[in-house]
Amino acid sequence: MNVSFFRRIVVFLTYTSVCFSAGYFIIQLLSVRISGYVQYLATILTSIAIMMLTGYLIHTFNHNKRSNIYLDIIDALRKIANGDYNVQLDFNTGKKNEMTEIISHFNHMAKQLKQMEEMRQEFISNVSHEIQSPLTSIVGFALALQSNKLTKDESNHYLHIIETESRRLSKLSDNLLKLTSLESEHHPFERANCRLDQQIRSIILACEPNWLEKELEMDISLEKVSIFADADLMSQVWTNLIHNSIKFTQHHGTITISLQQVDDQAKITISDTGIGISEQDQFHIFERFYKADLARERTKSGSGLGLSIVKRIIDMHDGSITVKSELEKGTTFTMLLPIS
């Protein structure tokens, strides 16, 4: 038998004793001259009546209290159904039971729903802002092209801007679909053995026109390492990170890419001598739509989704990614991926 069972027995015996004592004193206070047997019987009946009365009162009190709790829960559920997630139930019952468990889980659910709603609203706001900016440029320059006073060079310049902004919209749409697919449970995820060094080297060669144009020095050190991963997804990671390094590194800068096996992990490091990222921004760069340097010119800005996609793909492969950077001194991304 557990401690709770003995505690209940003690409470019951104490309660019974108190009720019988109360019945005895009531009969004595009435000072009724009756025989001992009748007095004993009257004491028992009075004590039973007291037990029934107090039991009824306790039951009524608990029932009303529980009914109030149920009504409050129903009211809170109605608010959540109407989109109001700023709801918290607070009942100090004094002990842990089924009702406190229900209230605790309800409060946790309401808190999670509130956070999801805040994220949804922020996401919609960010998407609207990212779409509105290029659309405004496209509409403005399209209207300007209707003027007969423009020179051929001005018209070509405006057309180039419209093309650039259209490509920006297309890339934003593509990244949104890609990130949504990666975060769902239905994205194709096919692992196979792939040579990581060959994959990274091919992407570096594909970016050759970009880093040759800026006359960047490429310091490459790639060990032969094979991992068990989705080759297409991993290719997106290296493409994004290498493009970013080229984009934010000034002319005649240096980009260092290394790959080595450390125990049962592949360690990939991509460093540059570019403009760097502030310490404060480093905590947010993997968040969707976050742009580390708001002062960058538009031609260098992106949608703020690239690093979110990188982080998601690395997480899907049970790996990790960290960033170390200093303004005007460069940035280093370090990835660790399990070999198998």
Side-chain angles (χ1 to χ4, degrees), residues 65-110:
K65 185 176 180 181
R66 181 158 293 192
S67 296
N68 291 334
I69 293 176
Y70 286 139
L71 290 175
D72 287 336
I73 292 176
I74 293 172
D75 183 59
L77 287 171
R78 188 178 294 111
K79 289 181 179 179
I80 289 178
N82 292 328
D84 180 9
Y85 304 112
N86 193 24
V87 178
Q88 288 289 301
L89 297 175
D90 184 18
F91 297 105
N92 295 319
T93 57
K95 59 180 180 179
K96 188 173 182 180
N97 51 35
E98 295 84 355
M99 186 57 64
T100 59
E101 285 290 316
I102 292 174
I103 293 170
S104 176
H105 288 301
F106 177 89
N107 288 337
H108 179 71
M109 177 192 71

Side-chain angles (χ1 to χ4, degrees), residues 145-201:
L145 284 170
Q146 297 177 21
S147 173
N148 296 324
K149 299 179 181 181
L150 295 177
T151 65
K152 185 176 181 180
D153 289 340
E154 288 176 331
S155 298
N156 289 334
H157 176 64
Y158 291 167
L159 286 170
H160 176 71
I161 293 175
I162 291 175
E163 180 187 2
T164 301
E165 294 299 276
S166 299
R167 291 183 184 277
R168 184 178 165 199
L169 271 176
S170 178
K171 186 175 181 181
L172 172 63
S173 174
D174 181 60
N175 283 337
L176 279 171
L177 291 172
K178 191 176 297 180
L179 186 59
T180 302
S181 177
L182 288 172
E183 291 181 344
S184 72
E185 297 180 357
H186 307 292
H187 185 85
F189 187 49
E190 300 177 359
R191 293 190 187 221
N193 286 316
C194 63
R195 281 281 298 275
L196 202 53
D197 55 302
Q198 292 178 351
Q199 186 183 60
I200 295 175
R201 185 176 290 107

Side-chain angles (χ1 to χ4, degrees), residues 278-327:
S278 70
E279 184 176 353
Q280 180 181 358
D281 289 331
Q282 291 175 41
F283 292 103
H284 304 284
I285 60 171
F286 296 112
E287 297 175 7
R288 288 181 292 187
F289 294 107
Y290 189 85
K291 297 180 182 179
D293 188 359
L294 299 178
R296 288 172 180 161
E297 55 185 289
R298 176 174 294 180
T299 56
K300 287 187 177 181
S301 65
S303 64
L305 293 174
L307 290 178
S308 298
I309 293 173
V310 167
K311 180 68 164 61
R312 177 57 184 159
I313 293 173
I314 295 294
D315 288 342
M316 290 172 66
H317 287 83
D318 301 317
S320 65
I321 179 171
T322 57
V323 59
K324 184 178 181 181
S325 183
E326 190 173 348
L327 288 176

